[in-house]
Amino acid sequence: MREDVRVGNRTRPRSGLLVVAAAVLGMALASRAATDDLVPYPDGYRQWTHVSSSYVGPQNAGYQGNGGLHHIYANKEAAEGYRTGRFPAGSVIVADFLEPRESDGVVTDGPRRRLDVMLKDGKSASGGWRFEQFKGDSRAERLVTPEVADRCFACHKRRQEQDFVFSSLRQ
Amino acid sequence: MREDVRVGNRTRPRSGLLVVAAAVLGMALASRAATDDLVPYPDGYRQWTHVSSSYVGPQNAGYQGNGGLHHIYANKEAAEGYRTGRFPAGSVIVADFLEPRESDGVVTDGPRRRLDVMLKDGKSASGGWRFEQFKGDSRAERLVTPEVADRCFACHKRRQEQDFVFSSLRQ
């Protein structure tokens, strides 16, 4: 037996209502994910404090995927964290990975490989940090699945004494 | 014949007065140099906008003196200059030269070689720019003689169309 239910001034079958409810729930979840769950793209990070840079050269085993210049930036909260050793909630650290361009023995920045982001929410089980990666220049194409995030933290947790941060502020 | 002259309520030989006058003139010149003529040490440049970095590797002919990571920073006025192509008076650009430290094919920053500074005063014959270099971590040991400044500009004037600036703001 089909039960009809009244929605507004229209009568819909109950199964239809479930579809509507599921759609609304899905939209709500998607909206929550967009606003709460996802680490936001770090707008304006190129104006943040430059923490340090390094160059991964051909002698490194990870050259194929990581070779080139890397630049690390800290927002205001994270810059305080580098100074005090404890990163307050809201700290964001960005690692900018660029392909190498070499001319006459001088390496400069090529196209962006990816942008790695650490956000301190102070709540996440992974030391209070959340991890994200944006592919190339994309602000939307995300590379971190839950499994990747686990791997991020598996490495970062070695630095618990530095609040799980590897880099230090170059003087 | 020695002429004596009166200075305050003491009588000094004229030659002594000349020594005093020369000393006073010298102090005045030193004071003027310290406040007007010298490009100031760029306090707080590590918090300025990070323009770009590069790595000078062993294949470069200048590796012995310049090998390592170089980081360029711009104060607020110079950051505007990078965006507009015209650097307003007060623009300061810093190039931070670090010796390389290599481990497992990854190069990081070693001790500072020197800090190069360009200051736009809008008046100097060298395109409105003045040039300075500070040795290592010193805020006082300056490397730029007038001859060195001429060499700085001899190279920078090739970039007149970019207001004599070689670097560009990495996106």
Side-chain angles (χ1 to χ4, degrees):
Chain A
M1 190 186 91
R2 202 182 82 177
E3 292 181 85
D4 286 350
V5 290
R6 199 157 181 86
V7 178
N9 54 6
R10 292 171 62 198
T11 301
R12 291 171 183 268
R14 181 178 285 268
S15 59
L17 186 68
L18 289 177
V19 170
V20 171
V24 169
L25 179 66
M27 284 163 61
L29 286 174
S31 168
R32 175 160 184 272
T35 55
D36 293 347
D37 278 357
L38 296 180
V39 174
Y41 185 88
D43 283 317
Y45 75 90
R46 284 287 289 105
Q47 271 65 55
W48 295 357
T49 297
H50 174 230
V51 175
S52 65
S53 293
S54 58
Y55 168 62
V56 175
Q59 278 75 41
N60 185 268
Y63 184 73
Q64 187 68 22
N66 290 320
L69 289 158
H70 300 175
H71 311 293
I72 298 176
Y73 302 91
N75 73 351
K76 200 175 290 184
E77 292 84 352
E80 181 193 329
Y82 279 106
R83 283 188 289 270
T84 63
R86 304 306 297 176
F87 290 78
S91 293
V92 182
I93 302 172
V94 168
D96 205 355
F97 289 73
L98 291 305
E99 290 180 24
R101 284 290 169 271
E102 191 269 343
S103 173
D104 195 24
V106 178
V107 179
T108 53
D109 290 315
R112 179 167 287 111
R113 292 179 181 278
R114 67 177 192 275
L115 200 66
D116 286 7
V117 182
M118 285 176 71
L119 163 67
K120 181 84 174 261
D121 64 7
K123 299 177 292 187
S124 294
S126 44
W129 289 98
R130 290 160 64 196
F131 301 90
E132 188 53 273
Q133 294 180 320
F134 294 89
K135 185 175 180 180
D137 291 326
S138 175
R139 300 166 59 93
E141 196 169 349
R142 294 161 181 270
L143 302 174
V144 171
T145 61
E147 293 70 29
V148 171
D150 286 347
R151 288 210 303 275
C152 293
F153 185 60
C155 198
H156 278 272
K157 73 179 176 187
R158 294 188 223 148
R159 290 293 178 102
Q160 187 165 0
E161 77 284 3
Q162 289 179 226
D163 207 357
F164 308 101
V165 173
F166 278 98
S167 50
S168 56
L169 191 63
R170 184 176 75 75
Q171 300 304 306
Chain B
M1 191 184 94
R2 199 184 84 180
E3 291 181 86
D4 286 353
V5 291
R6 198 156 182 86
V7 178
N9 53 6
R10 293 171 61 198
T11 300
R12 291 171 185 267
R14 181 178 284 270
S15 59
L17 186 69
L18 289 177
V19 170
V20 170
V24 169
L25 180 65
M27 284 163 60
L29 286 176
S31 167
R32 174 160 184 271
T35 55
D36 292 347
D37 277 358
L38 297 180
V39 174
Y41 184 89
D43 283 317
Y45 74 90
R46 285 287 289 107
Q47 270 66 55
W48 294 356
T49 297
H50 174 230
V51 175
S52 65
S53 294
S54 59
Y55 168 62
V56 175
Q59 278 75 42
N60 185 268
Y63 184 72
Q64 187 68 22
N66 290 321
L69 289 158
H70 299 175
H71 311 293
I72 298 177
Y73 302 92
N75 72 352
K76 199 174 289 182
E77 292 85 353
E80 181 193 329
Y82 279 106
R83 283 188 288 269
T84 64
R86 304 307 298 175
F87 290 79
S91 292
V92 181
I93 301 171
V94 168
D96 205 354
F97 289 73
L98 291 305
E99 292 180 24
R101 284 289 170 272
E102 190 268 344
S103 173
D104 195 24
V106 178
V107 179
T108 53
D109 289 315
R112 179 167 285 111
R113 293 180 181 278
R114 66 179 193 275
L115 200 67
D116 286 7
V117 182
M118 287 176 71
L119 163 66
K120 181 83 174 262
D121 64 8
K123 299 177 292 186
S124 295
S126 44
W129 289 98
R130 291 159 65 195
F131 302 89
E132 188 53 275
Q133 293 180 320
F134 294 89
K135 185 176 180 180
D137 290 325
S138 176
R139 300 166 59 93
E141 196 169 349
R142 293 161 181 271
L143 302 173
V144 172
T145 60
E147 292 72 30
V148 172
D150 286 348
R151 287 210 303 275
C152 293
F153 186 59
C155 198
H156 278 273
K157 73 180 176 187
R158 293 189 223 149
R159 291 292 178 104
Q160 186 165 1
E161 77 285 2
Q162 289 181 225
D163 208 356
F164 308 101
V165 173
F166 279 98
S167 49
S168 57
L169 191 64
R170 183 176 76 75
Q171 298 305 306

